[in-house]
Amino acid sequence: MTVVLADNCSKWYGHVLGISDVTWTLGGGIVGLLGPNGAGKSTLMKLMAGLLRPSRGGLTVYGKNPFEDVAVRRRIGYAPEHEKTWDELTALELVTVMAKLAGVPARRAESAAKDAIAQMGMTDAQHRRVKGFSKGMRQRTKLATAIAHDPDFLLLDEPLTGVDPIARVDIVERIRRLADGGKTIVVSSHVLYEIEALTSEIVVIYRGQVLAEGNVYEIRKLIDRHPHRIRIECDEPRKVAAALATSDHVARIVFERKGVLIETRDPDRCYDQLAAAVIESGVNVSALSSPDNNLGAVFEYLTGEGGQRR
Amino acid sequence: MSEPAPKLVPSAFASLMTVAGLTWTRLLRGRALVVAVVIALLPIAYCAFAGPRVGPELFVFELLTASVLAPMFVAASIGEEIEDRTTTYLWSRPVPRWTIIAGKLVALVPVVTAVVLGSWIVANQIAWKMMPDERTMAALAIGVAALSILSAGVASLAPRHGMALSIVYILFFDSPLGVLPATIRELSMTQQIRAVSGIWSGNGELKTPLIVLAILCAIWGLIAAARIRRLEA
């Protein structure tokens, strides 16, 4: 069954290009949308969520135009990239409201919200206001709002951004479980290793165009040639650096005002060591991110190699 | 999930009431109400200062207060959703977008009405030691609703500056328009509200100003609904 069908779909914001002539079909499973910031991932996500209209061409979800067709949005769960939400509400209130608006009857909305919050491992914090949540908790709450109405199709825009390594593993596992439950999921990220943890099926998007799609293996080989950078914001960066300094895959360590930036040639090993180091040393990690300059370089390389789709 | 959720789209009424509930909760936990009460104290302070010299201009003063409060609540609420991008949560749900505007009006109009009428009653007690005329109370209540709909329209057209533009429009376009000695003044919302009040303006007739107000509200309501339907997040 075709879930998404983009047919020469383009979107401009005035003179700024969002996506250009994207033709793409999504049948099901988990698919990763990979591309550097500004590549057009969020634009494609918003088009699928019914938040934007194509400037040219068409895009349908389950055969319907999601911008115009209210009913098809009942089947979609969308977690946006941005963190802004109604911070005055508790997590339970927020997810309950979203469930009601998505069509869960009022009498069942709270229990559906509690289920969704539990699925995201947030039960202990469900009565706390979102205002005081860390980035990771906000991400989990956003995911809970997206799944509370039991949608068939999930759109998760950068769901692992800013999440600490331990929570990252946990969230990845929870997203996988949703896919195992039969949901079609599109996850976007500018970090290959985040996507790779979820799926091997990726769509590479760059400068508004689908550059490559299919198995992650080939693109990974290209990306591995470039050092991968990981920025860790924490209270004791020297402890983190010390734990990784002797590893052969670490190319460079740079101390920054709020933490440390690590360049590695083996991101998988680096993330594993990092998670272990954080647990052992008890360092408080407030944010973990991967600057996408390296990915941008790879995409420049890909386009430079001929620009043909792979 | 413990049991499968039915794949139903919420009714427009249910969506509207959910948005209203969300708006109320946020309002009660925010600071806007405190600011509104402070603004509503201005006519009361005027009465306390002017004493027995207060005349029918007090109604216009109260109407000015409503002209600030309605945009402050309605236009700011709509503009904030769009500016903060919380609309991505609302608009990705299977609800008609007009219910979001309507839900906000259902939540906020009674609050603004209560604040304005409270101010009007206390001001009357201080100025004249009496309860205000029922017709003036009705005019203010209708006026608040009308000005709120206007604010929703302006906010949907210019979300970033919705509150400021609504206030500027009412105070510097609609109000001056209403005092022009020409038929065009009938297009002024504040003029019609004054006419409904029976003091300061109009010939005491109710039907015509009410019909004109209803038409003006319908126009602004349609502008808001049409605009919000086409907006992108």
Side-chain angles (χ1 to χ4, degrees), chain A residues 171-184:
Chain A
I171 291 175
V172 163
E173 183 53 37
R174 290 174 194 279
I175 294 173
R176 269 192 187 150
R177 261 183 250 159
L178 291 169
D180 291 342
K183 296 192 189 307
T184 299

Side-chain angles (χ1 to χ4, degrees), chain A:
Chain A
M1 182 186 188
T2 302
V3 179
V4 177
L5 178 62
D7 181 19
N8 290 110
C9 184
S10 298
K11 178 68 190 173
W12 291 277
Y13 305 96
H15 294 295
V16 179
L17 176 73
I19 60 168
S20 175
D21 274 334
V22 169
T23 295
W24 176 55
T25 305
L26 170 64
I30 303 190
V31 173
L33 264 188
L34 180 70
N37 290 336
K41 303 185 299 293
S42 290
T43 298
L44 188 53
M45 286 282 199
K46 286 180 177 179
L47 284 161
M48 290 187 278
L51 296 169
L52 297 175
R53 273 172 301 169
S55 307
R56 203 177 64 194
L59 184 142
T60 59
V61 175
Y62 296 112
K64 308 279 186 187
N65 175 348
F67 189 88
E68 300 289 348
D69 192 298
V70 169
V72 78
R73 294 204 293 269
R74 173 64 181 85
R75 301 182 69 180
I76 301 170
Y78 173 64
E81 178 190 11
H82 63 81
E83 286 186 14
K84 267 287 190 181
T85 179
W86 299 287
D87 286 358
E88 305 91 340
L89 305 189
T90 66
L92 181 58
E93 287 170 340
L94 174 63
V95 181
T96 303
V97 165
M98 289 297 102
K100 282 184 192 170
L101 287 175
V104 179
R107 65 181 182 284
R108 289 188 46 247
E110 191 171 308
S111 66
K114 282 180 175 171
D115 283 350
I117 287 170
Q119 280 192 64
M120 286 301 132
M122 284 283 290
T123 301
D124 289 347
Q126 66 181 349
H127 296 297
R128 280 174 53 191
R129 289 195 188 174
V130 177
K131 195 175 189 175
F133 280 4
S134 65
K135 281 186 178 178
M137 293 166 87
R138 281 175 181 268
Q139 291 286 20
R140 288 169 191 264
T141 308
K142 275 196 296 186
L143 292 172
T145 64
I147 64 170
H149 57 292
D150 192 21
D152 302 315
F153 177 37
L154 275 171
L155 291 163
L156 312 178
D157 201 353
E158 303 265 3
L160 300 172
T161 298
V163 177
D164 67 69
I166 300 164
R168 186 177 294 236
V169 172
D170 185 53
I171 291 175
V172 163
E173 183 53 37
R174 290 174 194 279
I175 294 173
R176 269 192 187 150
R177 261 183 250 159
L178 291 169
D180 291 342
K183 296 192 189 307
T184 299
I185 303 177
V186 177
V187 186
S188 75
S189 177
H190 62 266
V191 183
L192 174 66
Y193 303 93
E194 288 180 357
I195 297 277
E196 204 179 18
L198 282 162
T199 180
S200 59
E201 289 303 308
I202 63 165
V203 174
V204 179
I205 188 162
Y206 185 58
R207 291 185 177 166
Q209 293 191 310
V210 172
L211 195 63
E213 61 179 303
N215 195 280
V216 74
Y217 181 69
E218 288 300 320
I219 189 77
R220 187 196 170 124
K221 277 202 297 191
L222 287 167
I223 285 178
D224 278 351
R225 289 183 201 164
H226 296 257
H228 180 89
R229 303 199 302 168
I230 302 169
R231 175 171 287 129
I232 305 125
E233 289 180 25
C234 59
D235 56 351
E236 294 181 271
R238 294 199 175 276
K239 275 192 181 178
V240 175
L244 296 166
T246 53
S247 305
D248 56 357
H249 60 82
V250 173
R252 201 157 70 108
I253 294 177
V254 180
F255 288 99
E256 298 182 326
R257 197 166 61 85
K258 286 182 173 176
V260 60
L261 182 78
I262 291 169
E263 274 189 20
T264 173
R265 293 188 199 88
D266 189 344
D268 282 348
R269 273 175 64 203
C270 189
Y271 278 118
D272 288 346
Q273 285 187 357
L274 190 57
V278 167
I279 292 168
E280 279 173 23
S281 62
V283 170
N284 288 317
V285 176
S286 55
L288 184 93
S289 59
S290 176
D292 62 5
N293 307 13
N294 58 331
L295 198 57
V298 171
F299 290 163
E300 291 286 1
Y301 170 74
L302 274 173
T303 46
E305 278 287 295
Q308 77 273 29
R309 292 181 180 193
R310 288 159 190 260

Side-chain angles (χ1 to χ4, degrees), chain B residues 54-78:
Chain B
V54 175
E57 78 280 1
L58 181 60
F59 181 82
V60 176
F61 199 176
E62 198 65 59
L63 188 54
L64 286 177
T65 306
S67 303
V68 173
L69 289 179
M72 200 185 98
F73 278 84
V74 177
S77 180
I78 293 167

